Coordinates of all heavy atoms in Angstrom, one line a residue:
Chain D
R32 N 135.2 140.1 37.4 CA 134.0 139.4 36.7 C 134.2 137.9 36.7 O 133.2 137.2 36.7 CB 133.9 140.0 35.3 CG 132.5 140.3 34.7 CD 131.6 140.8 35.5 NE 130.2 141.1 35.0 CZ 129.2 140.6 35.7 NH1 129.4 139.8 36.7 NH2 128.0 140.9 35.3
S33 N 135.4 137.5 36.6 CA 135.6 136.0 36.5 C 135.1 135.4 37.9 O 135.4 135.9 38.9 CB 137.0 135.6 36.3 OG 137.8 136.0 37.3
R34 N 134.3 134.4 37.8 CA 133.6 133.9 39.0 C 134.6 133.2 39.9 O 135.8 133.3 39.7 CB 132.5 133.1 38.6 CG 131.3 133.9 38.1 CD 130.5 133.2 37.1 NE 129.7 134.2 36.3 CZ 128.6 134.7 36.6 NH1 128.0 134.4 37.7 NH2 128.0 135.6 35.8
S35 N 134.1 132.5 40.9 CA 134.9 131.9 41.9 C 136.0 131.0 41.3 O 135.8 130.4 40.3 CB 134.0 131.1 42.8 OG 133.4 130.1 42.1
S37 N 137.4 128.1 40.6 CA 137.3 126.7 40.5 C 138.7 126.2 40.1 O 139.4 126.9 39.4 CB 136.3 126.2 39.5 OG 135.0 126.5 40.0
R223 N 135.0 125.2 49.3 CA 133.5 125.2 49.1 C 132.9 124.9 50.5 O 133.2 123.9 51.1 CB 133.1 124.1 48.1 CG 131.6 123.8 48.0 CD 130.8 125.0 47.5 NE 131.3 125.5 46.2 CZ 130.9 125.0 45.0 NH1 130.1 124.0 44.9 NH2 131.4 125.6 43.9
T244 N 113.7 106.1 40.1 CA 114.3 107.3 39.7 C 113.2 108.4 39.3 O 113.5 109.6 39.3 CB 115.2 107.1 38.4 OG1 114.4 106.4 37.4 CG2 116.4 106.4 38.7
S245 N 112.0 107.9 39.0 CA 111.0 108.9 38.6 C 110.4 109.6 39.8 O 109.7 110.6 39.6 CB 109.9 108.2 37.8 OG 109.4 107.2 38.6
V246 N 110.6 109.2 41.0 CA 110.0 109.8 42.1 C 110.9 110.7 42.8 O 112.0 110.4 43.2 CB 109.5 108.7 43.1 CG1 108.8 109.3 44.3 CG2 108.6 107.7 42.4
T247 N 110.5 111.9 43.0 CA 111.3 112.9 43.8 C 111.1 112.6 45.3 O 110.0 112.3 45.7 CB 110.7 114.3 43.5 OG1 110.6 114.6 42.1 CG2 111.6 115.4 44.1
Y249 N 111.6 114.0 49.1 CA 111.9 115.1 50.0 C 112.3 114.7 51.3 O 111.6 113.9 52.0 CB 110.6 116.0 50.0 CG 110.2 116.6 48.7 CD1 109.3 116.1 47.9 CD2 110.9 117.8 48.3 CE1 108.9 116.7 46.7 CE2 110.6 118.3 47.1 CZ 109.6 117.8 46.3 OH 109.3 118.3 45.0
G266 N 115.2 118.5 48.3 CA 114.5 117.7 47.3 C 115.6 116.9 46.5 O 116.6 117.4 46.1
I267 N 115.3 115.6 46.4 CA 116.3 114.7 45.7 C 115.7 114.1 44.5 O 114.7 113.4 44.6 CB 116.8 113.6 46.6 CG1 117.3 114.2 48.0 CG2 118.0 112.8 46.0 CD1 117.7 113.2 49.0
D268 N 116.2 114.4 43.3 CA 115.8 113.7 42.1 C 117.0 113.0 41.6 O 118.0 113.6 41.2 CB 115.4 114.8 41.0 CG 113.9 115.0 41.0 OD1 113.2 114.0 40.9 OD2 113.5 116.1 41.1
V271 N 120.5 114.6 42.0 CA 120.5 116.1 42.1 C 119.8 116.4 43.5 O 118.7 116.0 43.8 CB 119.7 116.8 41.0 CG1 119.8 118.3 41.2 CG2 120.3 116.4 39.7
E273 N 118.6 119.4 45.9 CA 118.4 120.8 46.0 C 118.0 121.2 47.4 O 117.0 120.7 47.9 CB 117.3 121.2 45.0 CG 117.1 122.7 44.9 CD 115.9 123.2 44.1 OE1 115.2 122.3 43.5 OE2 115.7 124.4 44.0
L275 N 116.0 123.2 49.5 CA 114.8 124.1 49.2 C 114.7 125.1 50.3 O 114.2 126.2 50.0 CB 113.6 123.2 49.2 CG 113.5 122.2 48.1 CD1 112.4 121.2 48.3 CD2 113.4 122.9 46.7
K376 N 107.6 125.6 51.9 CA 106.1 125.4 51.6 C 105.9 123.9 51.4 O 105.2 123.4 50.5 CB 105.8 126.1 50.3 CG 105.9 127.6 50.3 CD 105.3 128.2 49.1 CE 105.7 129.7 49.0 NZ 107.0 129.9 48.4
K381 N 104.6 115.2 52.8 CA 105.4 115.0 51.6 C 106.8 114.6 52.0 O 107.6 114.2 51.1 CB 105.5 116.3 50.8 CG 104.2 116.5 49.9 CD 104.5 117.5 48.9 CE 103.2 117.8 48.1 NZ 103.2 119.2 47.7
E429 N 130.9 115.3 48.0 CA 131.0 116.6 47.3 C 132.4 116.9 46.8 O 132.6 117.4 45.7 CB 130.5 117.7 48.3 CG 130.6 119.1 47.7 CD 129.4 119.6 46.8 OE1 128.5 118.8 46.6 OE2 129.5 120.7 46.3
L432 N 133.2 115.0 43.7 CA 132.6 115.6 42.6 C 133.3 116.8 42.1 O 133.5 117.0 40.9 CB 131.1 115.9 42.9 CG 130.1 114.9 42.5 CD1 130.1 114.7 41.0 CD2 130.4 113.5 43.2
L433 N 133.8 117.6 43.0 CA 134.5 118.8 42.6 C 135.9 118.4 42.0 O 136.4 119.1 41.2 CB 134.7 119.8 43.8 CG 133.4 120.5 44.2 CD1 133.7 121.5 45.4 CD2 132.7 121.2 43.1
R437 N 134.5 110.3 38.8 CA 133.3 109.6 38.4 C 133.5 108.1 38.7 O 134.6 107.6 38.4 CB 133.0 109.8 36.9 CG 132.7 111.2 36.5 CD 131.3 111.6 37.0 NE 131.0 113.0 36.6 CZ 131.4 114.1 37.2 NH1 132.1 114.0 38.3 NH2 131.1 115.3 36.8
T442 N 128.0 109.3 40.1 CA 128.0 109.5 38.7 C 127.6 110.9 38.3 O 128.5 111.8 38.2 CB 127.1 108.5 37.9 OG1 125.9 108.5 38.6 CG2 127.7 107.1 37.9
N443 N 126.4 111.2 38.2 CA 126.0 112.5 37.8 C 125.3 113.3 38.9 O 124.2 113.7 38.8 CB 125.0 112.3 36.6 CG 125.1 113.5 35.7 OD1 126.0 114.3 35.8 ND2 124.1 113.7 34.8
Y444 N 126.1 113.6 39.9 CA 125.6 114.1 41.1 C 125.8 115.6 41.1 O 126.7 116.2 40.5 CB 126.4 113.4 42.2 CG 126.6 114.3 43.4 CD1 125.7 114.2 44.5 CD2 127.6 115.1 43.4 CE1 125.8 115.0 45.5 CE2 127.8 116.0 44.5 CZ 126.9 115.9 45.6 OH 127.0 116.7 46.6
L445 N 124.9 116.3 41.8 CA 124.9 117.8 41.9 C 124.2 118.3 43.2 O 123.1 117.8 43.5 CB 124.2 118.4 40.7 CG 124.1 119.9 40.7 CD1 125.5 120.6 40.5 CD2 123.2 120.4 39.5
L446 N 124.8 119.2 43.8 CA 124.2 119.8 45.0 C 123.9 121.3 44.6 O 124.8 122.1 44.2 CB 125.1 119.9 46.2 CG 124.6 120.7 47.4 CD1 123.4 120.1 48.1 CD2 125.7 120.9 48.4
I447 N 122.6 121.6 44.6 CA 122.2 123.0 44.4 C 121.9 123.6 45.8 O 120.9 123.3 46.4 CB 120.9 123.1 43.5 CG1 121.1 122.3 42.2 CG2 120.6 124.5 43.2 CD1 119.8 122.1 41.4
T472 N 117.0 131.4 47.9 CA 117.1 131.4 46.5 C 118.3 130.5 46.1 O 119.3 130.5 46.7 CB 117.4 132.9 46.0 OG1 116.4 133.7 46.5 CG2 117.5 133.0 44.5
A473 N 118.1 129.8 45.0 CA 119.1 128.8 44.5 C 120.4 129.6 44.1 O 120.3 130.7 43.5 CB 118.6 128.0 43.4
L474 N 121.5 129.0 44.4 CA 122.8 129.6 44.0 C 123.3 128.9 42.8 O 123.2 127.7 42.7 CB 123.8 129.5 45.1 CG 123.5 130.4 46.4 CD1 124.5 130.1 47.5 CD2 123.5 131.8 46.1
P475 N 124.0 129.6 41.8 CA 124.2 131.1 41.8 C 122.9 131.9 41.6 O 122.0 131.4 40.9 CB 125.2 131.2 40.6 CG 124.9 130.0 39.8 CD 124.5 128.9 40.7
A476 N 122.9 133.1 42.1 CA 121.7 133.9 42.1 C 122.1 135.3 41.5 O 123.2 135.7 41.7 CB 121.0 134.0 43.4
Q477 N 121.1 135.9 41.0 CA 121.4 137.2 40.4 C 120.1 138.1 40.4 O 119.0 137.5 40.2 CB 121.8 137.0 38.9 CG 122.5 138.2 38.3 CD 121.8 138.6 37.0 OE1 121.5 137.8 36.2 NE2 121.6 139.9 36.9
V540 N 128.3 130.4 43.3 CA 128.2 129.2 44.1 C 128.9 129.2 45.4 O 128.6 128.5 46.3 CB 128.5 127.9 43.3 CG1 127.3 127.3 42.7 CG2 129.6 128.2 42.3
Chain R
M1 N 109.9 142.9 34.1 CA 111.2 142.2 34.2 C 111.7 141.7 32.8 O 110.9 141.2 32.0 CB 111.0 141.0 35.1 CG 112.3 140.4 35.6 SD 112.1 139.5 37.1 CE 112.7 140.7 38.3
A20 N 103.5 121.7 40.3 CA 104.6 122.3 40.9 C 105.8 121.3 41.0 O 106.9 121.6 40.8 CB 104.3 123.0 42.2
Q21 N 105.4 120.1 41.4 CA 106.4 119.1 41.6 C 107.1 118.7 40.3 O 108.3 118.5 40.3 CB 105.8 117.8 42.2 CG 105.5 118.0 43.7 CD 105.6 116.7 44.4 OE1 106.2 115.7 44.0 NE2 104.9 116.6 45.6
E22 N 106.3 118.6 39.2 CA 106.9 118.3 37.9 C 107.9 119.4 37.5 O 108.9 119.2 36.9 CB 105.8 118.1 36.9 CG 105.1 116.7 37.0 CD 103.8 116.6 36.3 OE1 103.3 117.7 35.8 OE2 103.3 115.5 36.1
K24 N 109.6 121.5 39.4 CA 110.8 121.4 40.2 C 111.7 120.3 39.7 O 112.9 120.4 39.7 CB 110.4 121.2 41.7 CG 110.0 122.5 42.4 CD 111.1 123.6 42.2 CE 111.4 124.4 43.4 NZ 112.5 125.3 43.1
K25 N 111.0 119.2 39.3 CA 111.8 118.1 38.9 C 112.5 118.4 37.6 O 113.7 118.1 37.4 CB 110.8 116.9 38.7 CG 111.5 115.6 38.5 CD 110.4 114.5 38.4 CE 111.0 113.2 38.1 NZ 111.9 112.7 39.1
A26 N 111.8 119.1 36.7 CA 112.4 119.5 35.4 C 113.5 120.4 35.6 O 114.5 120.4 35.0 CB 111.3 120.1 34.5
Y27 N 113.3 121.3 36.6 CA 114.4 122.3 37.0 C 115.7 121.5 37.4 O 116.8 121.8 36.9 CB 113.9 123.2 38.1 CG 115.0 124.0 38.8 CD1 115.6 125.1 38.1 CD2 115.4 123.7 40.1 CE1 116.5 125.8 38.7 CE2 116.4 124.5 40.7 CZ 116.9 125.6 40.0 OH 117.9 126.3 40.6
R28 N 115.5 120.6 38.3 CA 116.7 119.9 38.7 C 117.4 119.1 37.6 O 118.6 119.0 37.6 CB 116.3 118.9 39.9 CG 116.0 119.7 41.2 CD 115.9 118.8 42.3 NE 114.5 118.3 42.5 CZ 113.6 118.9 43.3 NH1 113.9 120.0 43.9 NH2 112.4 118.5 43.4
K29 N 116.6 118.5 36.7 CA 117.1 117.8 35.6 C 117.9 118.7 34.7 O 119.0 118.4 34.3 CB 116.0 117.1 34.8 CG 116.4 115.9 34.1 CD 115.2 115.2 33.5 CE 115.7 114.2 32.4 NZ 114.6 113.7 31.7
N30 N 117.4 119.9 34.4 CA 118.0 120.9 33.6 C 119.3 121.4 34.2 O 120.2 121.8 33.6 CB 117.1 122.0 33.2 CG 116.2 121.6 32.0 OD1 116.7 121.4 30.9 ND2 114.9 121.5 32.3
A31 N 119.2 121.6 35.6 CA 120.3 122.2 36.3 C 121.6 121.4 36.1 O 122.7 122.0 36.0 CB 120.0 122.2 37.8
L32 N 121.5 120.1 35.8 CA 122.7 119.3 35.6 C 123.5 119.8 34.4 O 124.7 119.6 34.3 CB 122.2 117.8 35.3 CG 122.1 116.9 36.5 CD1 121.5 115.6 36.1 CD2 123.4 116.7 37.2
K33 N 122.7 120.4 33.4 CA 123.4 120.8 32.2 C 124.0 122.2 32.3 O 124.9 122.6 31.5 CB 122.4 120.9 31.0 CG 122.0 119.5 30.5 CD 121.0 119.6 29.4 CE 119.6 119.4 29.9 NZ 118.6 119.6 28.9
Y34 N 123.6 123.0 33.3 CA 124.0 124.4 33.4 C 124.6 124.9 34.7 O 125.1 126.0 34.8 CB 122.8 125.3 33.0 CG 122.2 125.0 31.7 CD1 120.9 124.4 31.6 CD2 122.8 125.4 30.5 CE1 120.4 124.1 30.4 CE2 122.3 125.1 29.3 CZ 121.0 124.4 29.2 OH 120.5 124.2 28.0
H35 N 124.6 124.0 35.7 CA 125.2 124.5 37.0 C 126.7 124.6 36.9 O 127.3 123.8 36.3 CB 124.8 123.4 38.1 CG 125.1 123.9 39.5 ND1 126.3 123.9 40.0 CD2 124.3 124.5 40.4 CE1 126.2 124.4 41.3 NE2 125.0 124.8 41.5
P36 N 127.2 125.7 37.5 CA 128.7 126.0 37.4 C 129.5 124.8 37.9 O 130.6 124.6 37.3 CB 128.9 127.2 38.3 CG 127.5 127.8 38.5 CD 126.5 126.8 38.2
D37 N 129.0 124.0 38.8 CA 129.8 122.9 39.3 C 129.9 121.8 38.2 O 130.8 121.0 38.2 CB 129.2 122.3 40.5 CG 129.5 123.1 41.7 OD1 130.3 124.0 41.7 OD2 128.9 122.7 42.8
K38 N 129.0 121.9 37.2 CA 129.1 120.9 36.1 C 129.8 121.4 34.9 O 130.4 120.6 34.2 CB 127.6 120.5 35.7 CG 126.9 119.7 36.8 CD 127.5 118.3 36.7 CE 127.0 117.4 37.9 NZ 127.8 116.2 38.0
G40 N 131.7 124.4 34.8 CA 132.9 125.3 35.0 C 132.3 126.7 35.4 O 131.3 127.1 34.9
A41 N 133.1 127.3 36.2 CA 132.7 128.6 36.8 C 132.8 129.7 35.7 O 132.2 130.8 35.9 CB 133.5 128.9 38.0
D42 N 133.5 129.5 34.7 CA 133.7 130.7 33.7 C 132.7 130.7 32.6 O 132.7 131.6 31.8 CB 135.1 130.6 33.1 CG 136.2 130.4 34.1 OD1 136.0 131.0 35.2 OD2 137.2 129.8 33.9
N43 N 131.9 129.7 32.5 CA 130.9 129.6 31.4 C 129.8 130.5 31.7 O 128.8 130.2 32.3 CB 130.4 128.1 31.4 CG 129.7 127.9 30.1 OD1 129.0 128.8 29.5 ND2 129.7 126.7 29.6
E44 N 129.9 131.7 31.1 CA 128.9 132.8 31.3 C 127.6 132.5 30.7 O 126.5 132.8 31.3 CB 129.4 134.1 30.7 CG 130.7 134.7 31.4 CD 130.3 135.7 32.4 OE1 129.2 136.3 32.3 OE2 131.1 136.0 33.3
A47 N 125.8 130.1 32.9 CA 125.4 130.8 34.1 C 124.1 131.6 33.9 O 123.2 131.6 34.7 CB 126.5 131.8 34.6
E48 N 124.0 132.3 32.7 CA 122.8 133.0 32.3 C 121.6 132.1 32.2 O 120.5 132.3 32.7 CB 123.1 133.7 31.0 CG 122.0 134.6 30.5 CD 121.6 135.7 31.5 OE1 122.5 136.2 32.3 OE2 120.5 136.1 31.5
F50 N 121.3 129.1 33.6 CA 120.9 128.6 35.0 C 120.1 129.6 35.7 O 119.0 129.3 36.3 CB 122.2 128.3 35.8 CG 121.9 127.7 37.1 CD1 121.7 126.3 37.2 CD2 121.7 128.4 38.3 CE1 121.3 125.7 38.4 CE2 121.4 127.8 39.5 CZ 121.2 126.5 39.5
H51 N 120.4 130.9 35.6 CA 119.6 131.9 36.2 C 118.2 132.0 35.6 O 117.2 132.1 36.4 CB 120.3 133.3 35.9 CG 119.6 134.5 36.4 ND1 119.1 134.6 37.7 CD2 119.1 135.5 35.7 CE1 118.5 135.7 37.8 NE2 118.4 136.3 36.6
T54 N 116.2 129.1 37.0 CA 115.8 129.4 38.4 C 114.6 130.3 38.4 O 113.6 130.0 39.1 CB 116.9 130.0 39.2 OG1 118.1 129.2 39.1 CG2 116.6 130.2 40.7
L55 N 114.6 131.3 37.6 CA 113.5 132.2 37.5 C 112.3 131.5 37.0 O 111.2 131.7 37.6 CB 113.8 133.3 36.5 CG 114.4 134.6 37.0 CD1 114.6 135.6 35.8 CD2 113.4 135.3 38.0
S57 N 111.5 128.3 37.1 CA 110.9 127.3 38.0 C 110.2 128.1 39.2 O 109.2 127.7 39.8 CB 111.9 126.3 38.5 OG 112.7 126.8 39.5
D58 N 110.9 129.1 39.7 CA 110.3 129.9 40.8 C 109.0 130.5 40.4 O 108.1 130.6 41.2 CB 111.3 131.1 41.2 CG 112.4 130.5 42.1 OD1 112.4 129.3 42.4 OD2 113.3 131.3 42.4
A61 N 106.3 127.5 39.6 CA 105.9 126.6 40.8 C 105.1 127.4 41.8 O 104.5 126.8 42.7 CB 107.2 126.0 41.4
D62 N 105.0 128.7 41.7 CA 104.2 129.5 42.6 C 102.9 129.9 41.9 O 102.9 130.6 40.9 CB 105.1 130.7 42.9 CG 104.4 131.7 43.9 OD1 103.1 131.8 43.8 OD2 105.1 132.3 44.8
P63 N 101.8 129.4 42.4 CA 100.5 129.7 41.8 C 100.2 131.1 41.4 O 99.8 131.4 40.3 CB 99.5 129.1 42.7 CG 100.2 128.2 43.6 CD 101.6 128.7 43.7
K65 N 102.4 133.7 41.0 CA 103.4 134.2 40.0 C 103.0 133.5 38.7 O 103.1 134.1 37.6 CB 104.8 133.8 40.4 CG 105.4 134.7 41.5 CD 106.8 134.4 41.7 CE 107.4 134.9 43.0 NZ 108.6 134.2 43.4

Side-chain angles (χ1 to χ4, degrees):
Chain D
R32 218 42 183 126
S33 65
R34 284 151 205 273
S35 60
S37 291
R223 167 67 52 85
T244 53
S245 58
V246 182
T247 309
Y249 293 99
I267 309 173
D268 261 309
V271 182
E273 186 187 0
L275 297 169
K376 298 190 190 81
K381 279 194 189 149
E429 174 84 2
L432 266 296
L433 292 182
R437 296 288 182 276
T442 49
N443 207 11
Y444 148 94
L445 175 68
L446 171 71
I447 307 172
T472 304
L474 293 175
Q477 196 236 316
V540 266
Chain R
M1 196 156 261
Q21 283 210 23
E22 284 166 346
K24 280 306 227 174
K25 196 177 171 63
Y27 167 70
R28 287 190 271 269
K29 208 173 159 188
N30 278 295
L32 274 174
K33 284 181 267 174
Y34 302 106
H35 193 276
D37 281 355
K38 287 285 170 194
D42 310 328
N43 192 330
E44 293 265 340
E48 184 57 31
F50 185 83
H51 174 57
T54 308
L55 264 182
S57 80
D58 283 353
D62 181 324
K65 286 187 199 161

